[in-house]
Amino acid sequence: MSQLSQRPVDPIVGESHHHESAFGHVTGAALYTDDLVGRLTGVLHAFPVQSTQAHAKLTSVDVAPAYAVPGVVKVITAADIPGINDQGVKHDEPMLPVDEVMFFGQPIVWVLGNDLEAAKAGAAAVAVDYEPLPSLVSVREAIEAKSFHGIQPVIDKGDVSGAFADAAHVFEGEFEFAGQEHFYLETQASLAYVDENGQIFVQCSTQHPTETQDIVSHVLGVPAHEVTVQCLRMGGGFGGKEMQPHGYAALAALGAKLTGRPVRLRLDRTLDITMTGKRHGFHSSWKIGFTEEGKILALDATLTADGGWSLDLSEPVLTRAMCHIDNAYWVPNIRVAGRIAKCNKTSQTAFRGFGGPQGMLVMEDILGRVAPKLGFSARELRRRNFYEAGQDTPYYQPVRHPDRMEAAWDQVVTGAEVEAREAEIAEFNSRNDNVKRGLALTPVKFGISFNLTAFNQGGALVLVYKDGSVLVTHGGTEMGQGLHMKMLQVAATTLGVPLSTVRLAPTRTDKVPNTSATAASSGTDLNGGAVKDACEQILGRLTQVAAGILGAPAHEVSVSRGIVSALSSKKTITWEELINAAYFQRIQLSASGFYRTEGLHWDLSLMTGEPFKYFAYGAAAAEVEINRFDGSYTLRRVDIVHDVGDSLSPLIDLGQIEGGFVQGAGWLTLEDLRWDESDKPSRGRLATQAASTYKIPSFSEAPEIFNVSLLEKAHEEGAVYGSKAVGEPPLMLAFSVREALRDAVGAFGEPGASVQLNSPATPESVFWAIESVREPAGSGGSGEAAEGLRVPS
């Protein structure tokens, strides 16, 4: 067992603890970025002037009328930017447009006012003239126009053409599905000021403080050491604060630099939805071949990501989608082509799963559609295609521990009494003409690590004070996922002290530099490794001191729950006594820790390598009931078994699994992004720009019965204390809900009908799917095209 994964006797990790800010969350004592405004005086408030065109030349922007509005202090335009006018990582995303707007709602200028009402009034006074240009709003329009940007990678393994020739059954089809709005509770927020030494300090709701620092630095044209970014905590992120906050932070910092006053920029909900990127929607076309026994023989697919107007993170999102199209299934011969559609709408960005859910959804949709044609239940078809020992992925990474996928699946089948319930559902459906139930199981195999190897590093700073108390700062950010609690438990376990001895400091760039984003489910792996490293450095020095006091060899010294002892000594001392002795011996009581994930390699040009440290596995069973008259449905029961390795903090992990599942169900069944695709002046406008028009899950959508279990005997060698990531993988467990809906819809038709189902599978979509399968044979219903099955969704 590696030193990184080995746990000491009586560890703090593995205990269930509530979120470290739980009491602050429920009492309102926990502060967020915008709550800090009251601590400053003379704050200016920022409000944008948004484009009313999807694509247009800017013929004139008259800001003079804004200055006539009482309380307006400054109107920031592109001409005010002293450094580089760009807020993206690909240098294709001007922070403020110079002569062209690229999407409806794009900020053109920002008005700073003494209060928010003055800024709003000033923005309303700015006069903008446009020369409309042709626009592409949908991914279909972009495909037809061959409007693509970025890389066009290809995965190619085996003999795809030969395998299709040998296949007993071949199907092909198309599938287009929607993206998703992050809808974090706390919208984008930044607060910036300049101190007496010219140091720029930015409080920002960001998942990536270092990159926020980088963007602020190059927009202002100053070195990074003149910019400090702090993230106290976020009210949700989900990937939407990995790239999106940088421009807003830079704007606030620029305003503070230009005016000498603090600047507050907080988007209201409508601004946030209309200006920020979403989960990428995708269009897919595919062809798949099976053996007579129902084993996948070949897959040929093209994935087109709906990237929006700039690249943002679309390239790595696309490559991760391609790397996850196999999900938990072995595809011996596979070719997958990827491309990114360039459209005139928000620049789509990271979202929990980062392309993985989109790739996996394509495969799950295929299997759900073709199972009846092959004469298998969807459950059986999925099960017989699981990875087995010795097999590798489409990008040639060996799949370790495929038995864990089987174990999770079998545990769900047994624990959820799936076979008995399938019989009960069949009997229920036979007695009811207008209400049907469905049950489905789906698996998850999700790779953990950043696609870009360089990002797989983390840092931490651990300080031990003379009284024995410990302060930890690490490079990860807290967005409600419980990362800070896990870091407290890692530090307490490594040092051997009670949990109450350790405290977390806010994440900031002048304490831990050059950090990676808290994303890709890697926050615990990277920062936990760094915290453990820093603590071990300190502990290594302290054991020498303790050895002298206890009269024992240093290698015998151990610290547990604040008591220092040695095997060959009857004497013990407290942690506080040890620290006091170390201080007077002039022993360094602080350390900077570092961690890098070993064993990763990736060739983007060939789409081959081992980009992931390990795979997280899971399985879910969902049961639904639907009404044929309006397509409405209820989620009756969900059973989940998920692999988190040896859990660092079980209560935190259970919360992540439940929350991820519900968010995934929202994406797949409720959350319907709609842009205006008409030729009216409102073309390109996002119609679903508030909670009144964009439906996210509520208590009424939660399952009546929700059983979640952690997979046992799942120690992960080479990860911090044997744990596994948990942030993203549970989201994909929600495929079971969509597939259960498909199963229930199929019950309204003839046996063997292939059910086409939109995503999101809203009640309206379910209604039309029911109508389709209920149509008489030969009338075009049920989407049957024999072995063709090409019916666009």
Side-chain angles (χ1 to χ4, degrees):
M1 187 178 292
S2 69
Q3 183 180 0
L4 181 63
S5 62
Q6 185 174 3
R7 296 187 176 189
V9 176
D10 197 20
I12 304 294
V13 295
E15 295 180 350
S16 287
H17 292 277
H18 60 71
H19 191 285
E20 51 89 29
S21 295
F23 292 110
H25 290 159
V26 298
T27 62
L31 299 180
Y32 296 85
T33 296
D34 199 51
D35 295 322
L36 305 175
V37 173
R39 299 183 174 189
L40 300 171
T41 58
V43 175
L44 295 175
H45 301 256
F47 198 84
V49 175
Q50 292 182 273
S51 168
T52 57
Q53 299 286 322
H55 189 203
K57 289 286 185 183
L58 290 173
T59 56
S60 71
V61 180
D62 185 5
V63 302
Y67 284 105
V69 174
V72 169
V73 174
K74 176 68 179 177
V75 181
I76 299 178
T77 70
D80 292 308
I81 297 173
I84 301 171
N85 182 11
D86 192 273
Q87 62 185 18
V89 292
K90 303 300 292 187
H91 306 294
D92 65 341
E93 195 172 342
M95 189 176 85
L96 292 173
V98 177
D99 56 10
E100 184 179 8
V101 290
M102 297 299 291
F103 70 95
F104 197 112
Q106 181 176 1
I108 299 171
V109 301
W110 287 82
V111 178
L112 305 183
N114 288 325
D115 54 46
L116 186 57
E117 294 309 311
K120 287 182 177 180
V126 173
V128 181
D129 290 327
Y130 305 91
E131 179 185 320
L133 297 171
S135 61
L136 302 170
V137 177
S138 72
V139 66
R140 299 182 306 281
E141 291 173 347
I143 292 172
E144 291 170 5
K146 294 182 170 57
S147 174
F148 305 109
H149 52 168
I151 60 174
Q152 295 194 16
V154 176
I155 288 176
D156 198 347
K157 178 186 178 186
D159 180 5
V160 175
S161 299
F164 278 124
D166 295 337
H169 304 278
V170 176
F171 307 94
E172 57 182 328
E174 297 179 17
F175 180 38
E176 183 179 340
F177 50 93
Q180 185 179 20
E181 164 60 32
H182 299 88
F183 222 101
Y184 25 64
L185 289 179
E186 176 204 27
T187 57
Q188 300 283 346
S190 289
L191 177 64
Y193 65 89
V194 183
D195 70 14
E196 72 279 5
N197 295 314
Q199 183 76 13
I200 301 152
F201 189 77
V202 184
Q203 298 272 11
C204 185
S205 183
T206 175
Q207 292 176 235
H208 200 346
T210 288
E211 198 162 72
T212 301
Q213 178 191 36
D214 292 342
I215 298 298
V216 172
S217 169
H218 80 230
V219 166
L220 297 186
V222 300
H225 69 217
E226 289 188 25
V227 180
T228 300
V229 176
Q230 174 171 296
C231 178
L232 184 59
R233 61 171 57 82
M234 285 169 280
F238 312 121
K241 295 177 181 176
E242 182 174 350
M243 277 295 302
Q244 301 294 294
H246 308 333
Y248 305 123
L251 192 286
L254 175 58
K257 194 83 168 175
L258 292 173
T259 64
R261 294 170 60 178
V263 172
R264 169 212 187 210
L265 190 159
R266 182 189 64 81
L267 303 184
D268 62 31
R269 182 62 64 187
T270 297
L271 289 177
D272 197 294
I273 293 181
T274 57
M275 288 166 54
T276 64
K278 326 294 179 195
R279 183 189 296 280
H280 293 70
F282 269 69
H283 177 277
S284 65
S285 58
W286 51 266
K287 180 179 179 181
I288 192 166
F290 290 86
T291 67
E292 197 66 61
E293 295 75 29
K295 290 290 191 76
I296 300 171
L297 196 57
L299 175 67
D300 191 351
T302 297
L303 302 183
T304 305
D306 187 353
W309 76 279
S310 68
L311 278 172
D312 194 273
L313 293 170
S314 293
E315 290 178 331
V317 165
L318 174 66
T319 57
R320 184 171 276 260
M322 295 169 67
C323 288
H324 281 79
I325 196 170
D326 58 325
N327 192 8
Y329 314 109
W330 187 50
V331 187
N333 305 282
I334 184 167
R335 180 169 51 234
V336 184
R339 57 192 182 180
I340 302 162
K342 184 174 184 178
C343 308
N344 296 109
K345 52 188 176 189
T346 54
S347 184
Q348 315 317 355
T349 190
F351 199 130
R352 199 174 195 168
F354 201 81
Q358 291 96 313
M360 295 158 72
L361 177 59
V362 172
M363 178 61 84
E364 293 303 331
D365 186 71
I366 292 172
L367 297 182
R369 289 166 67 168
V370 307
K373 297 295 183 181
L374 291 170
F376 295 105
S377 70
R379 174 163 71 88
E380 174 58 25
L381 183 62
R382 290 184 167 95
R383 176 64 182 82
R384 65 177 51 201
N385 280 287
F386 282 176
Y387 275 102
E388 297 176 358
Q391 295 175 341
D392 59 6
T393 65
Y395 43 93
Y396 295 96
Q397 176 162 351
V399 176
R400 292 192 303 115
H401 306 309
D403 54 298
R404 294 184 183 177
M405 181 68 260
E406 296 178 8
W409 183 271
D410 292 344
Q411 191 172 325
V412 169
V413 171
T414 302
E417 301 176 315
V418 168
E419 293 181 356
R421 287 167 56 207
E422 285 175 337
E424 291 172 3
I425 288 171
E427 195 274 333
F428 175 89
N429 289 344
S430 69
R431 292 187 289 103
N432 292 273
D433 293 332
N434 300 321
V435 177
K436 303 288 185 182
R437 291 176 181 172
L439 176 65
L441 273 74
T442 56
V444 166
K445 175 186 69 66
F446 189 79
I448 301 298
S449 289
F450 285 100
N451 287 53
L452 183 63
T453 302
F455 288 166
N456 294 288
Q457 57 177 293
L461 177 65
V462 176
L463 311 176
V464 180
Y465 293 98
K466 290 188 293 182
D467 64 354
S469 61
V470 180
L471 183 65
V472 176
T473 308
H474 61 88
T477 53
E478 177 60 56
M479 62 197 88
Q481 83 278 38
L483 175 62
H484 280 354
M485 174 49 69
K486 289 187 174 182
M487 295 305 96
L488 288 169
Q489 290 181 259
V490 168
T493 296
T494 308
L495 293 174
V497 299
L499 192 60
S500 59
T501 305
V502 189
R503 185 182 179 198
L504 255 297
T507 308
R508 49 189 287 167
T509 57
D510 60 355
K511 296 296 185 290
V512 181
N514 309 322
T515 58
S516 296
T518 305
S521 301
S522 63
T524 296
D525 287 354
L526 299 181
N527 298 291
V531 168
K532 189 170 186 288
D533 175 54
C535 292
E536 286 173 342
Q537 292 178 46
I538 297 170
L539 197 62
R541 301 172 200 141
L542 293 174
T543 54
Q544 298 296 327
V545 177
I549 298 173
L550 299 176
H555 70 269
E556 290 188 2
V557 174
S558 66
V559 187
S560 179
R561 305 279 173 165
I563 302 299
V564 186
S565 62
L567 287 175
S568 59
S569 174
K570 296 182 179 179
K571 185 177 181 181
T572 62
I573 58 173
T574 65
W575 167 261
E576 290 78 11
E577 290 170 335
L578 175 59
I579 297 304
N580 184 67
Y583 171 76
F584 281 101
Q585 292 182 33
R586 297 184 294 177
I587 301 299
Q588 183 182 353
L589 295 174
S590 63
S592 179
F594 182 77
Y595 173 79
R596 52 178 282 174
T597 309
E598 300 292 346
L600 306 179
H601 59 92
W602 177 244
D603 187 334
L604 178 61
S605 65
L606 299 176
M607 291 289 287
T608 60
E610 298 190 18
F612 305 122
K613 178 67 174 177
Y614 55 81
F615 295 103
Y617 300 99
E623 181 182 337
V624 300
E625 181 176 296
I626 62 177
N627 186 308
R628 84 168 179 89
F629 294 114
D630 58 4
S632 61
Y633 47 81
T634 56
L635 182 53
R636 291 171 47 81
R637 176 173 171 176
V638 171
D639 293 85
I640 291 172
V641 174
H642 195 69
D643 168 24
V644 298
D646 289 339
S647 177
L648 295 179
S649 195
L651 191 62
I652 296 292
D653 286 344
L654 289 171
Q656 284 292 285
I657 294 168
E658 292 170 354
F661 177 89
V662 170
Q663 189 171 54
W667 170 48
L668 296 166
T669 66
L670 292 173
E671 301 180 41
D672 196 4
L673 288 167
R674 296 289 183 96
W675 274 271
D676 188 336
E677 298 179 20
S678 72
D679 293 327
K680 298 177 182 178
S682 57
R683 176 175 171 80
R685 176 182 177 271
L686 181 61
T688 50
Q689 55 182 255
S692 58
T693 51
Y694 185 81
K695 179 74 173 75
I696 63 172
S698 61
F699 284 119
S700 61
E701 281 80 38
E704 299 171 18
I705 302 172
F706 201 175
N707 301 316
V708 180
S709 300
L710 304 181
L711 184 67
E712 297 179 353
K713 299 178 181 178
H715 176 88
E716 184 59 35
E717 186 68 19
V720 61
Y721 288 129
S723 65
K724 276 187 175 182
V726 71
E728 292 171 304
L731 182 136
M732 284 73 83
L733 295 167
F735 293 147
S736 59
V737 179
R738 184 170 178 272
E739 292 305 306
L741 290 171
R742 188 196 306 275
D743 185 54
V745 169
F748 285 101
E750 294 297 322
S754 178
V755 176
Q756 315 295 313
L757 194 59
N758 289 344
S759 188
T762 61
E764 179 184 6
S765 295
V766 169
F767 171 81
W768 289 115
I770 294 170
E771 290 296 296
S772 178
V773 300
R774 292 182 69 247
E775 291 178 9
S779 67
S782 79
E784 296 189 34
E787 299 257 293
L789 216 144
R790 177 176 286 278
V791 180
S793 296

